[in-house]
């Protein structure tokens, strides 16, 4: 891909995708997490229908407002991005809901298969469409198509999965029982998304080329987290929820130590010279190694901890996570403001941001571990 798309193109695509990444997880108000917590399959099916209802209502409402504001006030000529964003949010929401629905029924193979199908189709289309016309639209269209392929796979697996039944009384029951998802998980996800994606927004203000490099590193290093750690977390969630309280701390330590050992060879990448990356990726990707060395320690730690992050839900730590994410947004805002005000080098600013991210991940998981031993 780096031989087809230049850093500027990937930077613009990264901006667009960052906005979608912040918005899409909250459109069902995080009630999809309750699918796994449901006490029976029938309750889980009602929760799934409630999530579909909320997803459609919120997505249509938000993008209708955006469309009206764009065409009456802003006039930025971004209607095509609004349409693409709407489709991505709907498909992302459906995939989140159905993935957790599969997880509640221990269909782990189906989850992995649809993730692989989507990833392979996205990568393939990125290359094919990029060879025709290497622009941001090519990347966006590839992503939408890959999401649709994943949904088609799911639909063929369980044809009645999207059979929707509006049940007002049961929907109200679900809303009242799992309202902490909307009160805590939704704001936590929103602020968390802003905190994570804030990096690429600010980097782009410094230099769109660096935003493209950041996006590439984030995509490559995030892939193991998405596939390996993501799949592992679903199994972990099921086991952690049902295990006795006394055994939860041991399970956390076992998972963390195993994943730390598994991922440790990745740290050797920090020793690779910048000339190698230029030879491998192309002359446009200068200074990539400097950015990689800064970001890799956080991704190593995140790979370990993301697999057990679902324990925060079981331990009802959403309010703690919300506090951390709000602090994260404020802290990063201060760091970036300091960088702008003092004309600080971008890489120095990123070092401070990554250091804070590492401290926050350690602190949050330390709180989770402590709650399992008291």
């Amino acid at each position: 891909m780096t031989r087809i798309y230049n850093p500027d193109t990937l930077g613009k695509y990264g901006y667009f995708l960052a906005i979608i990444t912040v918005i899409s997880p909250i459109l069902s108000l995080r009630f999809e997490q309750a699918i796994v917590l449901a006490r029976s399959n029938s309750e889980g099916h009602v929760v799934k229908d409630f999530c579909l209802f909320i997803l459609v209502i919120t997505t249509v409402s938000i993008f209708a407002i955006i469309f009206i504001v764009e065409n009456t006030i802003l006039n930025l000529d971004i209607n095509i991005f609004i349409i693409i964003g709407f489709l991505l949010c709907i498909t992302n929401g459906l995939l989140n809901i159905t993935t957790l629905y599969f997880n509640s029924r221990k269909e782990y193979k189906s989850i992995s298969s649809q993730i692989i199908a989507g990833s392979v189709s996205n990568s393939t289309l990125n290359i094919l469409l990029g060879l025709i016309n290497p622009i941001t639209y090519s990347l966006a269209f590839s992503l939408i198509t890959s999401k649709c392929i994943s949904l088609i796979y799911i639909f063929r697996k369980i044809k009645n999965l999207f059979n929707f039944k509006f049940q007002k009384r049961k929907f109200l029951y679900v809303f009242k029982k799992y309202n902490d998802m909307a009160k805590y998980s939704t704001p936590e996800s929103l602020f968390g998304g802003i905190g994570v994606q804030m990096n690429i927004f600010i980097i782009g203000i410094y230099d769109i080329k660096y935003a493209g490099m950041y996006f590439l590193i984030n995509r490559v290093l995030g892939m193991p987290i998405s596939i390996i750690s993501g799949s592992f977390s679903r199994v972990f969630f099921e086991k952690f929820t049902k295990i006795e309280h006394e055994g939860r701390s041991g399970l956390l330590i076992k998972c963390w130590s195993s994943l730390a050992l598994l991922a440790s060879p990745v740290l050797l990448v920090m020793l690779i010279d910048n000339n190698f990356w230029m030879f491998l990726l192309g002359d446009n990707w200068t200074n990539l190694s400097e950015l990689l060395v800064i970001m890799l320690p956080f991704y190593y730690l995140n790979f370990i901890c993301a697999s057990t992050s679902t324990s925060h839900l079981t331990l009802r730590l959403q309010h703690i996570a919300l506090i951390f994410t709000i602090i994260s947004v404020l802290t990063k805002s201060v760091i970036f403001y300091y960088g702008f005000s003092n004309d600080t080098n971008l890489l120095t600013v990123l070092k401070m941001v990554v250091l804070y991210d590492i401290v926050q991940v350690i602190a949050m998981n330390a709180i989770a571990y402590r709650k399992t031993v008291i």
Side-chain angles (χ1 to χ4, degrees):
M1 277 186 61
T2 58
R3 298 284 181 174
I4 301 173
Y5 300 98
N6 60 44
D8 288 7
T9 301
L10 285 181
K12 294 173 184 176
Y13 176 64
Y15 257 61
F16 171 69
L17 201 58
I19 296 172
I20 300 302
T21 303
V22 171
I23 295 175
S24 60
I26 65 169
L27 292 175
S28 56
L29 302 182
R30 305 300 287 166
F31 279 105
E32 72 275 7
Q33 296 177 107
I35 295 174
V36 181
L37 299 177
R39 294 184 177 180
S40 64
N41 287 342
S42 59
E43 182 179 312
H45 194 79
V46 173
V47 175
K48 183 263 297 179
D49 284 349
F50 179 65
C51 291
L52 292 174
F53 174 72
I54 294 294
L55 172 66
V56 173
I57 295 297
T58 54
T59 307
V60 171
S61 300
I62 289 173
F63 278 89
I65 294 171
I66 294 173
F67 184 81
I68 292 171
V69 172
E70 156 60 15
N71 288 276
T72 57
I73 301 175
L74 300 178
N75 295 314
L76 298 175
D77 194 24
I78 58 172
N79 284 333
I80 184 65
F81 281 107
I82 294 175
I83 295 171
I84 293 173
F86 172 78
L87 294 174
L88 279 175
C89 285
I90 284 289
T91 52
N92 279 342
L94 291 174
L95 285 172
N96 287 338
I97 293 168
T98 53
T99 296
L100 285 167
Y101 187 81
F102 274 144
N103 190 48
S104 67
R105 283 149 179 76
K106 300 182 180 180
E107 291 275 355
Y108 306 126
K109 185 177 179 180
S110 298
I111 296 172
S112 299
S113 297
Q114 65 92 359
I115 291 175
I116 293 172
S119 299
V120 171
S121 58
N122 186 36
S123 299
T124 304
L125 286 170
N126 280 338
I127 295 172
L128 293 177
L129 294 179
L131 291 172
I132 298 172
N133 194 4
I135 59 175
T136 305
Y137 289 129
S138 299
L139 292 165
F141 182 78
S142 300
L143 184 59
I144 292 175
T145 305
S146 66
K147 299 288 185 184
C148 291
I149 290 173
S150 295
L151 286 172
I152 290 171
Y153 173 85
I154 292 172
F155 180 76
R156 293 183 63 184
K157 183 72 177 178
I158 304 180
K159 293 186 178 180
N160 64 345
L161 182 60
F162 295 118
N163 287 353
F164 176 80
K165 186 177 181 181
F166 184 82
Q167 305 174 77
K168 182 178 178 180
R169 292 181 63 184
K170 291 185 178 180
F171 282 4
L172 288 173
Y173 167 78
V174 169
F175 179 79
K176 291 178 181 179
K177 182 177 181 179
Y178 300 107
N179 62 60
D180 56 336
M181 304 299 175
K183 288 193 297 185
Y184 299 116
S185 292
T186 299
E188 184 270 329
S189 179
L190 177 61
F191 281 102
I194 293 173
V196 172
Q197 301 306 325
M198 182 185 291
N199 295 359
I200 194 169
F201 291 136
I202 304 298
I203 291 171
I205 296 175
Y206 273 91
D207 190 338
I208 195 67
K209 180 180 178 181
Y210 270 101
M213 292 182 184
Y214 178 88
F215 174 76
L216 177 67
I217 294 173
N218 188 50
R219 185 167 181 170
V220 172
L221 296 182
M223 193 175 297
I225 297 175
S226 175
I227 297 177
I228 302 174
S229 185
S231 299
F232 181 88
S233 68
R234 297 180 187 100
V235 179
F236 170 84
F237 188 26
E238 181 79 18
K239 188 171 183 179
F240 189 84
T241 302
K242 295 182 178 180
I243 198 172
E244 294 293 333
H245 180 79
E246 292 75 14
R248 288 177 173 176
S249 59
L251 181 60
L252 284 174
I253 294 296
K254 181 180 179 180
C255 291
W256 287 336
S257 57
S258 299
L259 290 169
L261 183 63
L262 175 66
S264 57
V266 175
L267 296 175
L268 297 175
V269 175
M270 299 173 66
L271 304 176
I272 299 177
D273 185 70
N274 189 59
N275 292 327
F276 171 79
W277 296 115
M278 290 178 62
F279 170 76
L280 181 66
L281 304 177
D283 294 337
N284 289 326
W285 299 87
T286 55
N287 303 320
L288 181 71
S289 63
E290 295 178 338
L291 204 56
L292 181 62
V293 168
I294 294 172
M295 295 172 61
L296 191 57
F298 168 72
Y299 279 96
Y300 172 71
L301 180 64
N302 199 35
F303 173 81
I304 298 168
C305 297
S307 300
T308 60
S309 62
T310 47
S311 63
H312 306 164
L313 179 63
T314 305
L315 296 171
R316 288 294 194 266
L317 296 176
Q318 295 99 319
H319 58 297
I320 301 295
L322 175 58
I323 293 171
F324 269 108
T325 50
I326 294 174
I327 294 173
S328 176
V329 172
L330 295 175
T331 303
K332 289 184 179 182
S333 298
V334 171
I335 292 173
F336 283 123
Y337 177 77
Y338 170 82
F340 280 126
S341 301
N342 295 277
D343 198 24
T344 307
N345 180 274
L346 172 60
L347 296 179
T348 302
V349 173
L350 282 178
K351 287 177 183 178
M352 292 188 286
V353 170
V354 170
L355 178 61
Y356 171 77
D357 283 336
I358 290 173
V359 171
Q360 178 175 289
V361 170
I362 293 174
M364 185 65 206
N365 284 277
I367 292 173
Y369 177 76
R370 179 170 175 77
K371 189 160 185 180
T372 63
V373 296
I374 58 176

